[in-house]
């Protein structure tokens, strides 16, 4: 049985939610794309299109914003995947000498994803406030804007628990693409969301 057939069988048996399949298709899982098109036809075609926002901005920003259909957990997990990829690249670049608050952001975001409480959202937002205060000065008054933009990336990620829509994660994606190629970021988000939505990682297939 192919991966597509397995997904369709799970969908028919009620073991796979329609929106979970569409999410996996939207982020680019080939088997999910084929299964969604077979199961939902034109509805799937519409769901797979990124919204027409952030015109003139990097395409990854529109792609991330399109996750809004699938709720806060979807774009929060995307934010975490972006942050993981960016942090790994920065640690490799600096031999581990990164701003410790970047790691704090990732820990706070992971905690909120596991338990989305107001207490955990506040803890994450507190780190964002500290990073924003410093990055604002660096972005506008320092000769080298790079440190400020990197702090702005992690500040945006830390705001995710309180974000009313994925716009803040789209902004984070723009900053992250200055550190990690966009195609690698998209692949990281796809792996995270497919495993969450479908319950099977790419390695397990």
């Amino acid at each position: 049985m192919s991966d597509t057939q397995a997904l369709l069988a799970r969908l028919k048996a009620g073991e796979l939610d329609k929106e979970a399949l569409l999410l996996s298709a939207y982020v680019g899982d080939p088997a999910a794309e084929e299964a969604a098109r077979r199961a939902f036809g034109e509805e799937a075609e519409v769901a797979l299109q990124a919204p027409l926002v952030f015109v003139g901005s990097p395409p990854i920003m529109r792609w991330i914003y399109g996750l809004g259909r699938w709720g806060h957990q979807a774009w929060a997990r995307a934010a975490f995947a972006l942050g993981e990829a960016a942090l790994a690249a920065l640690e490799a670049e600096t031999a581990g000498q990164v701003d410790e608050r970047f790691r704090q952001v990732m820990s706070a975001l992971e905690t909120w994803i596991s338990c989305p409480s107001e207490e955990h959202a506040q803890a994450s937002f507190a780190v964002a406030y500290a990073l924003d205060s410093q990055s604002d000065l660096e972005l506008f008054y320092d000769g080298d804007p790079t440190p400020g933009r990197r702090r702005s990336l992690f500040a945006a990620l830390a705001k995710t628990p309180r974000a009313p829509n994925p716009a803040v994660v789209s902004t984070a994606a723009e900053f992250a693409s200055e550190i990690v190629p966009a195609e690698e970021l998209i692949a990281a988000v796809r792996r995270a969301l497919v495993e969450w939505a479908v319950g099977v990682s790419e390695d397990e297939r």
Side-chain angles (χ1 to χ4, degrees):
M1 179 183 292
S2 70
D3 291 338
T4 297
Q5 290 171 328
L7 290 172
L8 288 169
R10 290 180 59 196
L11 184 69
K12 185 175 181 179
E15 299 170 358
L16 178 63
D17 181 74
K18 170 185 176 180
E19 289 299 322
L21 179 59
L22 288 174
L23 171 58
S24 297
Y26 176 80
V27 297
D29 180 74
E33 285 186 42
E34 185 177 351
R37 286 188 168 101
R38 286 192 196 178
F40 307 119
E42 183 61 29
E43 182 181 357
E45 295 296 337
V46 172
L48 296 181
Q49 300 302 311
L52 293 176
V53 294
F54 301 116
V55 176
S57 299
I60 192 173
M61 294 183 71
R62 293 197 300 118
W63 186 75
I64 289 290
Y65 196 84
L67 294 172
R69 169 178 175 143
W70 292 280
H72 209 154
Q73 277 286 325
W75 74 73
R77 288 168 188 273
F80 189 80
L82 292 171
E84 272 195 321
L87 184 58
L90 290 175
E91 288 182 329
E93 177 186 303
T94 63
Q97 302 302 306
V98 299
D99 191 324
E100 184 58 33
R101 291 171 297 183
F102 296 175
R103 297 189 182 96
Q104 292 174 9
V105 167
M106 298 305 296
S107 177
L109 184 53
E110 185 174 33
T111 297
W112 183 86
I113 288 170
S114 299
C115 180
S117 68
E118 175 56 28
E119 178 184 358
H120 293 151
Q122 176 58 36
S124 185
F125 201 81
V127 186
Y129 182 80
L131 287 168
D132 264 343
S133 298
Q134 186 174 357
S135 63
D136 283 346
L137 291 174
E138 290 175 330
L139 280 169
F140 293 104
Y141 299 108
D142 193 354
D144 179 8
T146 301
R149 291 180 70 81
R150 290 176 174 181
R151 289 190 177 92
S152 292
L153 159 61
F154 284 90
L157 295 175
K159 294 172 185 175
T160 301
R162 284 191 165 174
N165 60 55
V168 70
V169 187
S170 292
T171 299
E174 180 181 23
F175 287 129
S177 66
E178 297 172 1
I179 303 168
V180 179
E183 59 270 20
E184 293 182 22
L185 294 173
I186 289 171
V189 171
R190 180 172 59 247
R191 285 192 297 270
L193 291 184
V194 170
E195 183 168 359
W196 172 61
V198 177
V200 179
S201 70
E202 291 180 349
D203 293 338
E204 292 175 318
R205 291 185 175 179

